[in-house]
Amino acid sequence: MIQVVNLKKSFGSLEVLKGININIKKGEKVVVIGASGSGKSTFLRCLNCMEDPTSGNIFFGGVDIADMKVDINIHRQKMGMVFQHFNLFNNKTVIQNIMLAPIYVEKKRMRKLKMKNPNGEVIKTTKQIKEEAYKKAMELLERIGLQEKADAYPSQLSGGQKQRVAIVRALAMNPDVILFDEPTSALDPEMVGEVLELMKELAESGMTMVVVTHEMGFAREVADRVIFVDEGVIAEEAPPEEFFGNPKSPRLKEFLSKVL
Amino acid sequence: MGNFGLKIERFIEVFIDKGGYKEVLTGLQNTLQIAVLGLVIGIVIGTLIAVIRVLPKYKLLPRILNGICTFYVAFFRGTPMVVQLLLSYYVALPLMGINLPSVTVATAVFGLNSGAYISEIMRGGILSVDPGQMEGGRAMGLPFSKTMLSIVIPQAVKNILPTLGNEFITLIKETSVVSFVGALDLYVAFNRIGSNSYEFMVPYLVMALIYIVLVLIISGLVKLMERSLRRSDSGR
């Protein structure tokens, strides 16, 4: 589903990613770990071009999205992203946060259909689009038990609630893959559990996930493959049992001895 | 001071009996029109410039636009409003062979001028919004423009509202320079009453009072707006 070929990224003269190659299959759960400054977050942010790669290719659904000529927005709509600091829209209520992008995308699609509609698709009115988005958003909120918070603003939620809303906000776009950038690192310890629980649920439902995290327990339990990023390259990758049970490179051994 | 009562009488005579209030009303209307429309135009131009200035600069077009904006801001902040007004009314428009009412010209110049100031206010406001807000929108596939308009700018405006209120007050008071191109504003109206009654003390006092009342009303409105916009911060 995502094929990364020789991905490099530099910030000025600092080369952060020095050639990453990886193939992520549909439904696969990939957990990325590494020391801070190793380039793991940059790698994740390159996957949906939040950071433009300096060179290399990222094939997503057969298109090289690292190519600057590609309309990245269309592809990002199919790649959800969850951030360390949630990045919920502060000026929108919870339900508006979830509905904003789906409504925008659907309205745009309808505008295009009005110009050219070869398959005779039904054109929805703005009202219908909003009603549909609302229904879907409420379903998602019910799934995480936060339907009562629909009209609350993000500032009125706890960290764990914010992150769960951020996750369903990503889900509202029906993405093919969700990228998680240290989703529990900014949370109070007692809230980490509820977020990881939701992520496990997602994993069981078959979602393709790429997760940068320090939660080794989560990696062990959920990952199909764990990747160790070190000095801008993938230093080691293996299924979790082998990765944690029998690490090969000295760097990984050292890293694991510090975090486990 | 003994004849202050007399002065008031004379003012009332010219203001009411001789119809001086009509000019004051027209002056008030012009003052408000120039300031309010000027502010609206200024916000539109200022926002546009601010957005251009925070655009990523690795493409050619944003760089060119940025250069134009820098020049624009330098010109309008670097020359007095009166000079801009005179240049527009007596130089630029006649050269182009265009004839416009002075109030219209004044409104346009006020808009262009405050656009330069508001662009910097707005840029500060946009920069004060957490970059994560833009990232959150872009990561969902929303274009830069949509994220800017729906997410970043509303939050920026909330942050800069007190400063924008300040700008509006400045505009109201600065309208008194439009008499340079012969527009009838509050100052001109009261000046005429003064000339007609040979008495300037009371007209100027009343004029000052009207300016103060206007500014107080605006401050109140800004405060109300601020309160309603703060709703999304902590509780209701």
Side-chain angles (χ1 to χ4, degrees), chain B residues 136-193:
Chain B
R138 296 309 309 275
M140 293 206 294
L142 298 175
F144 177 87
S145 54
K146 167 76 180 168
T147 316
M148 206 61 185
L149 272 177
S150 303
I151 307 298
V152 178
I153 288 179
Q155 293 181 54
V157 167
K158 190 171 72 181
N159 292 345
I160 63 170
L161 207 59
T163 325
L164 272 186
N166 235 355
E167 174 68 15
F168 188 33
I169 289 170
T170 309
L171 281 182
I172 290 257
K173 293 187 297 188
E174 259 196 280
T175 48
S176 50
V177 303
V178 302
S179 59
F180 277 77
V181 292
L184 173 68
D185 76 324
L186 270 182
Y187 160 70
V188 175
F190 279 103
N191 204 31
R192 281 189 197 161
I193 292 177

Side-chain angles (χ1 to χ4, degrees), chain A residues 187-246:
Chain A
L187 294 175
D188 290 338
E190 76 265 28
M191 291 170 181
V192 171
E194 56 186 275
V195 172
L196 290 182
E197 207 48 51
L198 177 60
M199 287 169 65
K200 278 177 206 165
E201 250 182 72
L202 264 185
E204 278 157 24
S205 74
M207 177 62 72
T208 314
M209 294 161 74
V210 184
V211 186
V212 171
T213 186
H214 296 293
E215 297 289 333
M216 298 303 153
F218 177 83
R220 202 170 262 170
E221 199 178 329
V222 177
D224 296 316
R225 186 162 35 139
V226 187
I227 285 171
F228 179 57
V229 175
D230 187 47
E231 293 186 338
V233 293
I234 294 178
E236 192 158 340
E237 59 178 309
E241 311 81 51
E242 195 188 329
F243 187 89
F244 292 107
N246 184 20

Side-chain angles (χ1 to χ4, degrees), chain A residues 57-254:
Chain A
N57 315 88
I58 298 163
F59 293 99
F60 176 62
V63 183
D64 181 11
I65 58 172
D67 183 352
M68 292 293 277
K69 283 182 223 96
V70 168
D71 180 4
I72 189 67
N73 293 329
I74 293 169
H75 301 286
R76 281 187 187 146
Q77 285 157 13
K78 289 291 150 207
M79 294 178 126
M81 188 168 206
V82 174
F83 299 87
Q84 182 176 359
H85 295 287
F86 331 122
N87 296 355
L88 292 180
F89 306 135
N90 294 327
N91 60 328
K92 304 275 178 194
T93 60
V94 165
I95 191 106
Q96 286 170 341
N97 260 279
I98 302 173
M99 290 169 17
L100 182 76
I103 289 177
Y104 174 83
V105 170
E106 194 67 357
K107 268 186 176 170
K108 199 169 173 190
R109 199 171 72 89
M110 289 304 141
R111 270 206 300 279
K112 271 194 190 143
L113 273 186
K114 272 180 197 160
M115 314 253 261
K116 204 174 96 187
N117 191 353
N119 301 330
E121 266 189 78
V122 184
I123 294 181
K124 291 179 236 170
T125 63
T126 303
K127 201 171 155 229
Q128 283 169 318
I129 293 172
K130 282 185 181 162
E131 274 166 6
E132 267 176 28
Y134 180 81
K135 211 171 135 238
K136 171 112 201 251
M138 273 322 256
E139 278 169 20
L140 286 165
L141 279 178
E142 270 163 40
R143 183 167 161 189
I144 55 171
L146 286 179
Q147 60 273 37
E148 272 120 60
K149 296 284 186 188
D151 296 318
Y153 284 94
S155 58
Q156 296 164 297
L157 304 182
S158 73
Q161 290 172 332
K162 281 185 202 173
Q163 196 60 299
R164 279 150 60 210
V165 169
I167 292 173
V168 295
R169 180 176 74 171
L171 279 179
M173 299 292 285
N174 297 321
D176 296 330
V177 51
I178 301 188
L179 313 174
F180 293 83
D181 189 4
E182 302 197 26
T184 57
S185 298
L187 294 175
D188 290 338
E190 76 265 28
M191 291 170 181
V192 171
E194 56 186 275
V195 172
L196 290 182
E197 207 48 51
L198 177 60
M199 287 169 65
K200 278 177 206 165
E201 250 182 72
L202 264 185
E204 278 157 24
S205 74
M207 177 62 72
T208 314
M209 294 161 74
V210 184
V211 186
V212 171
T213 186
H214 296 293
E215 297 289 333
M216 298 303 153
F218 177 83
R220 202 170 262 170
E221 199 178 329
V222 177
D224 296 316
R225 186 162 35 139
V226 187
I227 285 171
F228 179 57
V229 175
D230 187 47
E231 293 186 338
V233 293
I234 294 178
E236 192 158 340
E237 59 178 309
E241 311 81 51
E242 195 188 329
F243 187 89
F244 292 107
N246 184 20
K248 293 190 181 59
S249 69
R251 294 283 298 197
L252 177 57
K253 280 181 192 161
E254 190 194 332

Side-chain angles (χ1 to χ4, degrees), chain B residues 13-52:
Chain B
E13 188 195 325
V14 177
F15 185 71
I16 295 172
D17 302 343
K18 291 191 179 163
Y21 69 91
K22 284 183 203 148
E23 284 201 327
V24 169
L25 280 181
T26 315
L28 183 64
Q29 196 197 332
N30 286 345
T31 292
L32 284 176
Q33 186 204 310
I34 294 167
V36 173
L37 282 183
L39 184 75
V40 172
I41 298 171
I43 289 175
V44 173
I45 294 178
T47 308
L48 215 65
I49 295 178
V51 170
I52 289 172

